[in-house]
């Protein structure tokens, strides 16, 4: 026990020394202190050390099987989450971005963390107008009043990296101007280094803590998100790719008023996609919203392999239009391009999940390097219990008891889940995040995924597999066979969808009641 305690003390000493040494290294560097952010590094390091010490001291010597252990552990979770949230709010920028990501990982983190960190979606700091105007003038070469006839001081929304203001162009058109927070880019380099170091340090103390993937993904994606020209190109590309979806609205980009830190785009109105009250007031069918959102993302993931990966409620708006529900997709900074190999394996994995094909689930989980924990991986993808997966996820909706079991198992299998996240292809990480955010929207609207949702997924998977086979087929007979096979599969899916519509109709239900009475 003494040796074990000494070993841990040495570990803490190494980490603390590294923290101090790195801080001195930054301080004595030639770079400007305010830009590099010694205080930001120190704040993050102190928060991490306090969290580690709290877990070690509060739970030391307690029996994990005792009821008091669970209560104390829950209290530690809450305290730790609050410390991390406070640190993220003070540091801002990339730290808030990561905090938001963590707040959406319901399958991975304890409930206490989710409840505390999800607040970050609505509490991003605002920059003063004077500082934002400097960014506009530096990047566009003109004063704000020379570019716009009006510029509303209150932002439409403030996010971790930027904030958006409504403005009017000289020709009278209304636009939304997205302006990067002045110091975000300058701080991003040290923020990424800080995260990488602290995650490695905590993993050294807790060998089962495997969150390096989070730092790696932030390092890869943050520079792209900080380039608004890249975001504008993503916006135009997805508009081209999904031009056949008449219910989708993507804002037009005004390139002459855009730069790496300023993005001027068409102003789009609408209610947040999780706002049931707004939909009720405007006569928007909630089921239609989630159905179209599901169709949209199934097309992006399974067919196009080009996925908008930040669909939180502030980035997806809904409107009532003469042709039906309109979905407005905003904030195109994060996209995931999927390789054909990954996309096809993911298609086939979902087809196996929908059919409850256990051999297929095992086979395609192995293709994604999660075969050793294929059952757990299936539960992560579907957010359903293994019992529901084996019976068919389209056969029933999530009950309260099943939801509770999933949350408890997430805590119980924390290290196994972490192991999966470190093994699977990097492309899957943002897809998992996207799936979680969409499920959160469905939960807010009280419209969980049902048989119709999986029917739409099946159609996209069938289409994607057929397209892939056609691309590699060079005989007319082979192509005819593939097309006819695809149409037959789609016919069977449509027939099943028609059957579901009939049995759910009021006329059928009334007729069934009369038969039961007679």
């Amino acid at each position: 026990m003494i040796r074990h305690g000494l070993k841990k003390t040495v570990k803490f000493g190494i980490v603390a020394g590294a923290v101090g040494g790195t801080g001195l290294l930054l301080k004595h560097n030639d770079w400007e202190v305010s830009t590099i952010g010694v205080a930001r590094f120190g704040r993050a390091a102190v928060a991490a050390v306090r969290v580690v010490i709290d877990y070690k001291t509060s739970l030391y010597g307690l029996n994990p099987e005792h009821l008091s252990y669970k209560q104390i552990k829950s209290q530690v979770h809450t305290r730790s989450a609050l410390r991390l949230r406070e640190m993220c709010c003070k540091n801002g920028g990339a730290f808030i971005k990561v905090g938001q990501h963590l707040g959406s990982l319901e399958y991975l983190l304890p409930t206490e963390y989710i409840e505390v960190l999800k607040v970050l979606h609505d509490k991003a700091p605002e920059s003063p107008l004077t500082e934002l105007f400097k960014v506009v003038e530096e990047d566009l070469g003109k004063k704000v009043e020379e570019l716009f006839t009006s510029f509303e001081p209150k932002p439409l929304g403030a996010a971790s990296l930027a904030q958006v203001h409504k403005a009017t162009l000289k020709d009278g058109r209304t636009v939304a101007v997205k302006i990067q927070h002045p110091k975000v880019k300058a701080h991003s380099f040290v923020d990424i280094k800080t995260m990488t170091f602290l995650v490695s340090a905590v993993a050294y103390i807790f060998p089962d803590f495997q969150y390096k993937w989070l730092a790696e993904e932030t390092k890869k994606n943050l520079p792209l998100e900080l380039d608004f020209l890249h975001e504008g190109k993503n916006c135009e590309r997805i508009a081209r790719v999904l031009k056949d979806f008449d219910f989708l609205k993507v804002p037009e980009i005004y390139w002459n008023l855009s730069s790496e830190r300023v993005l001027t785009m068409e102003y789009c109105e609408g209610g947040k996609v999780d706002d049931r009250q707004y939909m009720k007031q405007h006569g928007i069918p909630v089921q239609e919203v989630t159905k179209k959102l599901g169709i949209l993302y199934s097309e992006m993931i399974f067919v196009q392999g080009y996925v908008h990966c930040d669909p939180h409620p502030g980035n997806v708006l809904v409107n009532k239009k003469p042709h039906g529900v309109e979905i407005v997709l905003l904030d195109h900074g994060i996209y995931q391009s999927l390789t054909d190999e990954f996309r096809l394996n993911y298609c086939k994995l979902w087809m196996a999940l929908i059919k409850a094909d256990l051999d297929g689930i095992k086979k395609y989980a192995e293709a994604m390097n999660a075969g050793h924990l294929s059952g757990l991986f299936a539960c992560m993808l579907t957010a359903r219990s293994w019992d529901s997966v084996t019976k068919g996820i389209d056969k029933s909706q999530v009950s309260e008891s099943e939801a509770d079991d999933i949350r408890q198992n997430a805590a119980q299998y924390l290290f196994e889940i972490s192991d999966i996240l470190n093994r699977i292809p990097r492309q899957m990480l943002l897809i998992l995040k996207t799936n979680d955010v969409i499920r959160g929207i469905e939960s807010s609207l009280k419209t969980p995924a049902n048989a119709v949702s999986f029917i739409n997924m099946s159609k996209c998977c069938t289409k994607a597999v057929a397209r892939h086979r056609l691309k590699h087929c060079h005989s007319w007979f082979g192509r005819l066979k593939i097309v006819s096979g695809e149409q037959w599969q789609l016919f069977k899916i449509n027939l099943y969808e028609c059957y579901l519509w009939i049995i759910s109709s009021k006329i059928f239900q009334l007729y069934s009641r009369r038969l039961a009475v007679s």
Side-chain angles (χ1 to χ4, degrees), residues 228-244:
F228 289 175
L229 294 177
H230 176 78
E231 178 178 343
K233 291 173 185 175
N234 285 341
C235 189
E236 290 193 336
R237 179 178 172 184
I238 200 65
R240 288 194 305 271
V241 166
L242 302 178
K243 64 181 183 298
D244 293 333

Side-chain angles (χ1 to χ4, degrees), residues 185 192 217-227 230:
K185 187 168 286 189
I192 291 170
E217 286 302 294
T218 303
K219 183 177 181 180
K220 181 182 77 174
N221 292 318
L222 188 58
L224 297 176
E225 289 187 80
L226 289 170
D227 182 358
H230 176 78

Side-chain angles (χ1 to χ4, degrees), residues 28 118 180 247 257 292 332 349 498 501:
H28 286 93
K118 71 180 182 182
Q180 198 171 108
F247 63 83
L257 295 173
K292 287 187 173 177
H332 299 265
L349 175 56
C498 184
W501 179 81

Side-chain angles (χ1 to χ4, degrees), residues 347-364 374 378 382 384-396 454 458 496:
C347 279
K348 292 172 182 177
L349 175 56
W350 263 106
M351 291 171 80
L353 287 166
I354 292 169
K355 295 175 183 176
D357 174 7
L358 302 188
D359 290 336
I361 292 170
K362 174 74 174 176
K363 176 181 177 181
Y364 293 108
S374 58
T382 59
R384 300 297 300 269
S385 66
W386 179 244
D387 185 54
S388 294
V389 171
T390 55
K391 291 178 180 176
I393 53 177
D394 61 333
K395 299 297 186 291
S396 63
F454 298 123
S458 297
Y496 180 56

Side-chain angles (χ1 to χ4, degrees), residues 169-229:
L169 298 179
K170 295 294 184 179
D171 61 8
R173 287 177 294 178
T174 304
V175 294
V177 187
K178 182 176 180 178
I179 308 171
Q180 198 171 108
H181 294 306
K183 298 177 182 178
V184 165
K185 187 168 286 189
H187 286 153
S188 62
F189 174 78
V190 73
D191 286 352
I192 291 170
K193 292 290 184 183
T194 298
M195 287 177 207
T196 303
F197 170 75
L198 292 178
V199 166
S200 299
V202 174
Y204 180 68
I205 298 170
F206 296 102
D208 291 323
F209 179 94
Q210 296 296 328
Y211 284 69
K212 290 185 179 180
W213 58 269
L214 184 59
E216 290 169 2
E217 286 302 294
T218 303
K219 183 177 181 180
K220 181 182 77 174
N221 292 318
L222 188 58
L224 297 176
E225 289 187 80
L226 289 170
D227 182 358
F228 289 175
L229 294 177

Side-chain angles (χ1 to χ4, degrees), residues 29-262:
N29 202 294
D30 291 336
W31 293 313
E32 184 188 346
V33 172
S34 62
T35 301
I36 292 302
V38 173
R40 297 162 65 76
F41 180 89
R43 199 179 290 126
V46 167
V49 170
R50 288 182 69 191
V51 167
V52 170
I53 291 174
D54 196 358
Y55 275 102
K56 288 292 184 181
T57 56
S58 299
L59 302 178
Y60 180 76
L62 297 181
N63 181 1
E65 303 300 323
H66 201 276
L67 180 62
S68 62
Y69 178 87
K70 294 181 179 179
Q71 293 173 341
I72 293 171
K73 190 174 184 179
S74 177
Q75 293 169 2
V76 178
H77 285 334
T78 301
R79 286 198 301 269
S80 300
L82 287 168
R83 287 182 183 123
L84 291 177
R85 188 179 74 185
E86 182 184 6
M87 180 272 293
C88 288
C89 287
K90 287 182 177 178
N91 276 1
F95 284 92
I96 288 184
K97 198 76 182 174
V98 172
Q100 290 172 339
H101 190 169
L102 290 173
S104 67
L105 300 179
E106 294 188 24
Y107 59 87
L108 181 58
L109 294 178
T111 306
E112 295 85 351
Y113 278 88
I114 303 302
E115 292 301 314
V116 170
L117 293 177
K118 71 180 182 182
V119 176
L120 290 173
H121 280 293
D122 302 313
K123 284 199 171 182
E126 294 181 15
S127 293
L129 267 183
T130 51
E131 293 186 11
L132 294 177
F133 285 177
K134 285 181 182 177
V135 173
V136 173
E137 290 167 16
E138 287 172 7
D139 280 33
L140 302 184
K142 291 184 179 180
K143 292 187 177 297
V144 171
E145 54 267 26
E146 294 179 74
L147 301 170
F148 308 100
T149 56
S150 68
F151 193 98
E152 292 193 4
K154 185 179 180 181
L156 295 169
S160 54
L161 305 181
Q163 63 193 59
V164 182
H165 290 260
K166 187 177 180 181
T168 307
L169 298 179
K170 295 294 184 179
D171 61 8
R173 287 177 294 178
T174 304
V175 294
V177 187
K178 182 176 180 178
I179 308 171
Q180 198 171 108
H181 294 306
K183 298 177 182 178
V184 165
K185 187 168 286 189
H187 286 153
S188 62
F189 174 78
V190 73
D191 286 352
I192 291 170
K193 292 290 184 183
T194 298
M195 287 177 207
T196 303
F197 170 75
L198 292 178
V199 166
S200 299
V202 174
Y204 180 68
I205 298 170
F206 296 102
D208 291 323
F209 179 94
Q210 296 296 328
Y211 284 69
K212 290 185 179 180
W213 58 269
L214 184 59
E216 290 169 2
E217 286 302 294
T218 303
K219 183 177 181 180
K220 181 182 77 174
N221 292 318
L222 188 58
L224 297 176
E225 289 187 80
L226 289 170
D227 182 358
F228 289 175
L229 294 177
H230 176 78
E231 178 178 343
K233 291 173 185 175
N234 285 341
C235 189
E236 290 193 336
R237 179 178 172 184
I238 200 65
R240 288 194 305 271
V241 166
L242 302 178
K243 64 181 183 298
D244 293 333
F245 288 76
D246 60 354
F247 63 83
L248 175 65
K249 172 69 176 175
V250 178
E252 179 187 350
I253 303 298
Y254 296 94
W255 291 107
N256 61 320
L257 295 173
S258 298
S259 68
E260 285 191 2
R261 296 189 297 166
V262 180

Side-chain angles (χ1 to χ4, degrees), residues 295-350:
I295 291 172
L296 189 64
Y297 271 86
S298 291
E299 177 75 16
M300 281 193 275
I301 293 171
F302 299 117
V303 181
Q304 303 298 336
Y306 186 63
V307 191
H308 178 283
C309 288
D310 200 11
H312 74 76
N315 291 340
V316 185
L317 307 179
V318 292
N319 291 301
K320 179 72 175 290
K321 295 291 183 180
H323 60 76
V325 173
E326 178 186 70
I327 291 180
V328 183
L329 204 56
L330 305 173
D331 198 341
H332 299 265
I334 308 179
Y335 270 78
Q336 180 68 70
S337 293
L338 309 178
T339 64
D340 284 348
E341 181 185 9
F342 172 88
R343 185 170 54 84
L344 267 294
N345 283 330
Y346 191 54
C347 279
K348 292 172 182 177
L349 175 56
W350 263 106

